[in-house]
Amino acid sequence: MTSNTRFHYHYENGFSWGISTWQDSDASCKDSCKLASKEELQTIQRTIGDVSNAFGWPVGNGELEYWTSDLGDVDNSHISKNMNILGGSYVQEDRTENASICVSDIE
């Protein structure tokens, strides 16, 4: 995440990882790509397995979520995805701070 948005940090695997609200995560991704959808994160998870073991990405011992571009079923919410090997998807308020993955839009 390299934009002028405000981020807090999650410390894991010897690194500081930026976490932020849905709005700030979405804005950061728009600088270069787009915020990943739930389906895209599920594809990454199915293909790679445990992203912490494979790439050292943070999973917060199963307690860190990643924002998706998918809307939640209540106002001011989006779907978040736990990227731990058995992690699920959850509806969270947009003000919650989570990690994010930006992806290219392949056409």
Side-chain angles (χ1 to χ4, degrees), residues 18-48:
I19 58 172
S20 65
T21 63
W22 185 88
Q23 291 85 351
D24 286 343
S25 293
D26 185 56
S28 178
C29 284
K30 286 183 179 177
D31 289 345
S32 59
C33 300
K34 66 177 186 122
L35 191 60
S37 68
K38 177 181 168 184
E39 181 180 344
E40 288 166 327
L41 291 184
Q42 287 172 329
T43 299
I44 290 170
Q45 196 173 41
R46 276 193 311 270
T47 304
I48 297 168

Side-chain angles (χ1 to χ4, degrees), residues 5-25:
T5 55
R6 292 165 287 166
F7 294 101
H8 291 105
Y9 295 94
H10 168 82
Y11 300 96
E12 189 171 333
N13 300 329
F15 295 96
S16 299
W17 301 87
I19 58 172
S20 65
T21 63
W22 185 88
Q23 291 85 351
D24 286 343
S25 293

Side-chain angles (χ1 to χ4, degrees), residues 50-68:
D50 188 330
V51 296
S52 181
N53 287 336
F55 297 120
W57 291 358
V59 294
N61 294 321
E63 297 178 8
L64 180 67
E65 314 297 331
Y66 283 79
W67 281 121
T68 73

